[in-house]
Amino acid sequence: MSVLTARNISLSFGPRTVISEVDFDVSPGDRVGLIAPNGVGKSTLLRLLSGELQPETGSVSSTGTLAHLTQETLHQPGESLRDHLARRTGVAKADEWLQRSAEALAEGGGQDYPDALDHWTAIGAGDFDERADAVCERLGLSADLLDGRAPDELSGGQQARLRLAAVLLTRADVLLLDEPTNDLDATGLDLLESHVTGYQGAIVLVSHDREFLARTTTAIAELDEFSHKLAVFGGGWDAYVEEKANAGRRAQEEYEAYATKRDSLVQRSRQVKEWSRQGVRRAGNAKARNDEPDKNIRAGRKQAAENLMAKASVVDRQLERLEVAEEPREAWELRLTLPSAGRGSSVAFTLRQAVVSRGDVTLGPIDLTIGGGERWRITGPNGSGKSTLLGALLGRIPLVSGAARSGRVS
């Protein structure tokens, strides 16, 4: 039995079609990876499934609770981390509904109080504060930050952990996740993977992380960038890759067979028509010159030409009845060529006894030299200061003490 069902849904933005006649079913326990090139409509489809957008045609229905965690995290003025998480997980709205229903019940109304209470319980609002403390502590967001810090005061790494905390704290029968792997470190990815694979409800998630999809999904739903339709492949990422390759080969073979048959019929039709025209012309010329006195022979030649034209009509009808196979289209691919630059300084960046501070993160003193043409990888947990270090190297974050110098940067 499906917990989320979409039937024949379509949506356009002006003249641009984004979703076209999509059918989609999600059953309990499904972990569906939603994939497509950027800009094709993955986030739009999630918004349609969540009810945030209404389709132009078709319908979407769900049973039980549904939660949608978007890729972009909006912060409201004066909102603490705890308030932010309560809003993102739906707990704040459930609290408000239950409070209104309880007040109405006290005044003799409140017919929706049982539904409000069931919903409040189902999404885990009753023990939300305790769970939020435990999850944030586990992610390195200390409990004292929950009520004393606004989300926009966090570093980039802490923001990533906060988004992960919202995922870990959300309880719903269907969970829609838009790029949950973005900006997560290895520890965060492990936590997210464990959560997704062990989740009690169904999950539909958008991700470009193939390894994550291979380890967590039970099916892949691909939104086609040309037809704007959805194709679902069971069995997870590896099965999708194999079936996609097989489907591509079959489509190419079917198109080549169709193209060969079509070209053969077109050529045959042209040839027969040309023979017919030549026969009619010869018959007419012979009559005009009166070089064939036998009218029966002349009539026979004319009939033969007409028969050829009839055969051409038969070929044309065969061509019309030929089942068309669409030519496989190649997906858009970014191809970028950068011209080589002239050689700059032999030293790209230098830090000497540098101390840099950003929010709760203080780095240093650091001594570092990066030579021209070298390739460095900066690793560390979310919130450890990777972006802060890059900002110091680029001169975008001022040093508390020490010195920084950069060579020619391109």
Side-chain angles (χ1 to χ4, degrees):
M1 178 179 179
S2 297
V3 290
L4 178 64
T5 302
R7 286 290 175 268
N8 197 39
I9 60 173
S10 299
L11 182 69
S12 299
F13 294 134
R16 176 172 171 258
T17 299
V18 180
I19 306 296
S20 177
E21 300 176 347
V22 164
D23 290 323
F24 190 37
D25 290 279
V26 181
S27 299
D30 282 352
R31 278 127 184 80
V32 183
L34 177 58
I35 64 171
N38 285 333
V40 171
K42 302 183 297 296
S43 296
T44 299
L45 180 56
L46 287 187
R47 294 182 65 193
L48 286 168
L49 295 176
S50 68
E52 296 171 23
L53 285 177
Q54 294 301 314
E56 295 170 342
T57 62
S59 62
V60 178
S61 61
S62 62
T63 60
T65 56
L66 186 148
H68 176 210
L69 295 181
T70 61
Q71 182 177 352
E72 299 298 330
T73 305
L74 300 178
H75 305 146
Q76 295 184 354
E79 185 179 60
S80 68
L81 299 190
R82 189 183 300 274
D83 294 338
H84 174 82
L85 288 172
R87 178 173 58 82
R88 289 269 286 167
T89 57
V91 167
K93 186 176 290 187
D95 280 336
E96 294 172 1
W97 183 19
L98 184 63
Q99 182 65 29
R100 289 196 307 270
S101 299
E103 292 173 355
L105 184 65
E107 297 175 359
Q111 288 81 4
D112 63 341
Y113 179 80
D115 292 335
L117 180 59
D118 288 343
H119 179 73
W120 186 83
T121 303
I123 68 170
D127 61 348
F128 172 77
D129 286 335
E130 292 79 5
R131 291 190 296 115
D133 289 339
V135 167
C136 288
E137 192 72 37
R138 185 181 183 187
L139 294 176
L141 298 171
S142 57
D144 60 334
L145 291 178
L146 281 174
D147 299 301
R149 183 70 62 85
D152 54 4
E153 297 175 6
L154 301 180
S155 69
Q158 289 172 324
Q159 293 270 8
R161 294 185 184 189
L162 184 65
R163 290 192 293 271
L164 176 58
V167 175
L168 300 181
L169 288 168
T170 300
R171 291 183 177 176
D173 295 309
V174 183
L175 188 56
L176 307 176
L177 303 177
D178 195 351
E179 297 283 8
T181 59
N182 274 6
D183 302 323
L184 290 181
D185 57 17
T187 301
L189 285 171
D190 288 342
L191 286 172
L192 179 62
E193 179 181 335
S194 177
H195 182 71
V196 170
T197 55
Y199 195 72
Q200 295 299 309
I203 293 179
V204 179
L205 63 92
V206 171
S207 179
H208 295 286
D209 188 332
R210 298 181 180 183
E211 290 297 324
F212 183 81
L213 291 172
R215 292 193 297 266
T216 59
T217 58
T218 60
I220 297 294
E222 183 181 41
L223 188 60
D224 188 86
E225 64 180 304
F226 303 113
S227 68
H228 310 289
K229 299 181 183 296
L230 193 71
V232 180
F233 301 80
W237 178 261
D238 293 336
Y240 156 76
V241 172
E242 182 178 357
E243 176 58 26
K244 182 72 173 178
N246 292 336
R249 285 193 294 270
R250 288 195 299 269
Q252 186 64 39
E253 291 170 358
E254 290 173 0
Y255 174 75
E256 290 175 356
Y258 157 75
T260 299
K261 182 67 172 178
R262 177 201 60 197
D263 294 346
S264 174
L265 289 173
V266 168
Q267 179 62 28
R268 184 179 173 191
S269 174
R270 290 174 179 171
Q271 189 176 55
V272 172
K273 288 177 181 177
E274 180 61 26
W275 288 345
S276 175
R277 283 193 292 269
Q278 292 176 5
V280 170
R281 187 165 55 251
R282 284 195 298 269
N285 291 339
K287 182 177 181 181
R289 294 192 306 268
N290 200 24
D291 57 359
E292 179 53 67
D294 192 324
K295 65 178 182 180
N296 293 324
I297 294 177
R298 292 200 303 270
R301 290 175 177 175
K302 181 179 179 181
Q303 184 62 47
E306 292 174 350
N307 289 342
L308 285 173
M309 185 61 71
K311 289 181 180 179
S313 298
V314 172
V315 175
D316 287 341
R317 287 195 295 273
Q318 289 177 339
L319 187 59
E320 291 174 359
R321 291 194 297 268
L322 185 63
E323 185 174 350
V324 177
E326 294 293 336
E327 183 176 7
R329 302 171 70 177
E330 293 187 5
W332 178 85
E333 180 181 353
L334 174 64
R335 296 178 181 177
L336 181 65
T337 301
L338 297 176
S340 59
R343 182 172 177 82
S345 171
S346 60
V347 176
F349 299 103
T350 301
L351 294 177
R352 289 290 178 263
Q353 291 295 298
V355 176
V356 59
S357 182
R358 185 184 184 190
D360 295 332
V361 177
T362 298
L363 302 178
I366 301 172
D367 288 306
L368 176 65
T369 299
I370 300 177
E374 294 180 355
R375 305 291 185 268
W376 286 56
R377 177 185 179 186
I378 299 176
T379 64
N382 286 139
S384 61
K386 301 184 295 297
S387 298
T388 301
L389 176 58
L390 288 177
L393 289 171
L394 294 170
R396 297 172 182 171
I397 299 178
L399 301 181
V400 176
S401 61
R405 186 177 70 84
S406 64
R408 180 176 176 181
V409 180
S410 60

